Amino acid sequence: MHIIKLNATDSTNSYLKTLCANECVADYTAVVAKKQTNGRGQMGTIWSSQSSKNLTFSVYKDISEYNLKHPFYISIVISLAILRTLRFFSIPKLSVKWPNDILSENKKVCGILIENVVKQNNFSSSIIGIGLNVNQVEFDNLPKASSLRLVSGHIFNLDEVTNVIINNLKHYFNILKKGQVDVLKAKYELSLFRKNKPSTFQDAEGLVFSGFIKGVSDFGNLQILLEDEVIKEFDLKTITLLY
Ligand code: BTN
């Protein structure tokens, strides 16, 4: 396992992307930074994290051999690896808020930013960015955020947590390699936040509607049972789960 440790960088995803552009990088090479000056979140958001208290790191994975029709299975593999890690550390009440926010006690403890490289119409490699709130105890302006320490009362060793995550990534990528996508999807759906519970959503036009989350499609769309008893699929950019 090759781990590059940095005191500071703009973003570990950006650092790893530049590294990959300049040299050959081995599978599961990880870049861990104590501090990111321009941490990036999903949909162009900023990811800020207390320096040295939390984990901000990125992992390289060659995915060319998987012949993926859609990269959502990468997202599933990473979500499952984080869930398995948190279960290992006895973190309570875990769930995954579609597509890949990891929650404990209904609060976000981990965010994932996956950046895939496509070559000759095939998904060739993935930069897997993980921001895990580990030992931070104050989230003043973020009422929906939490950390492993807050939910468990324990202080964690960041290196140990990193190693367990990488081993669990290997575990689930091996299952993906065997083509057991149904197993992965079923496991992911078991942990889906608000599954089968009455929930409220907002679409891209701002329209608020109710429904029940039933699962996800092979293409990563969220399947919602609407009030007219029809199941409709929604793409990531078209819908927000309000509560
Ligand atoms: C999210 O919006 O929930 C995703 C957050 C992902 C943050 C991580 S921290 C390590 C890696 N480097 C980045 O710039 N972003 C990801």
Side-chain angles (χ1 to χ4, degrees):
M1 190 181 294
H2 180 42
I3 299 186
I4 300 165
K5 290 189 175 180
L6 305 171
N7 277 328
T9 187
D10 54 350
S11 149
T12 54
N13 266 36
S14 307
Y15 184 97
L16 193 50
K17 224 188 275 178
T18 308
L19 192 70
C20 293
N22 293 325
E23 59 186 80
C24 243
V25 172
D27 256 3
Y28 301 105
T29 295
V31 176
V32 186
K34 282 189 183 160
K35 181 181 168 173
Q36 292 188 124
T37 52
N38 187 24
R40 297 186 284 112
Q42 293 162 23
M43 321 263 258
T45 56
I46 293 169
W47 183 261
S48 55
S49 180
Q50 262 182 20
S51 154
S52 299
K53 295 246 161 132
N54 298 325
L55 270 176
T56 47
F57 73 109
S58 304
V59 179
Y60 172 82
K61 181 74 186 88
D62 181 341
I63 54 168
S64 55
E65 65 199 278
Y66 299 107
N67 287 320
L68 293 171
K69 286 194 202 83
H70 195 277
F72 185 59
Y73 279 97
I74 301 297
S75 188
I76 289 184
V77 160
I78 299 158
S79 301
L80 290 177
I82 302 290
L83 289 171
R84 193 173 201 245
T85 302
L86 301 190
R87 235 171 258 130
F88 174 80
F89 288 108
S90 304
I91 301 303
K93 294 187 187 148
L94 294 167
S95 58
V96 50
K97 185 173 172 201
W98 175 79
N100 53 20
D101 283 349
I102 307 297
L103 314 185
S104 169
E105 297 178 337
N106 299 337
K107 291 192 172 186
K108 179 165 171 174
V109 292
C110 182
I112 297 164
L113 177 68
I114 306 161
E115 297 184 289
N116 293 313
V117 177
V118 179
K119 275 188 193 156
Q120 288 150 358
N121 290 330
N122 187 26
F123 291 100
S124 120
S125 60
S126 245
I127 307 277
I128 302 161
I130 295 170
L132 178 62
N133 298 332
V134 183
N135 294 321
Q136 182 171 340
V137 287
E138 280 155 23
F139 292 90
D140 290 342
N141 302 316
L142 298 166
K144 289 185 180 167
S146 191
S147 69
L148 307 195
R149 181 168 177 190
L150 277 179
V151 296
S152 71
H154 300 298
I155 296 176
F156 294 87
N157 177 295
L158 297 180
D159 289 341
E160 189 189 355
V161 179
T162 310
N163 287 339
V164 178
I165 293 175
I166 295 174
N167 282 332
N168 284 330
L169 283 172
K170 289 180 184 172
H171 172 81
Y172 283 112
F173 270 115
N174 282 338
I175 295 179
L176 184 63
K177 198 172 181 179
K178 289 185 200 147
Q180 296 175 341
V181 288
D182 293 344
V183 174
L184 294 172
K185 188 156 88 83
K187 232 175 156 30
Y188 172 91
E189 287 179 330
L190 271 183
S191 297
L192 208 46
F193 179 60
R194 294 204 68 79
K195 190 174 174 205
N196 290 326
K197 292 190 178 144
S199 302
T200 304
F201 308 87
Q202 187 167 35
D203 72 12
E205 278 83 48
L207 186 81
V208 174
F209 62 95
S210 308
F212 293 80
I213 293 176
K214 301 310 282 181
V216 288
S217 74
D218 284 337
F219 299 98
N221 291 341
L222 190 65
Q223 297 164 327
I224 301 175
L225 175 67
L226 299 173
E227 278 168 340
D228 55 6
E229 297 295 313
V230 170
I231 293 182
K232 200 174 162 194
E233 293 190 356
F234 292 85
D235 183 62
L236 177 61
K237 290 175 197 92
T238 64
I239 187 180
T240 311
L241 169 60
L242 295 179
Y243 47 87

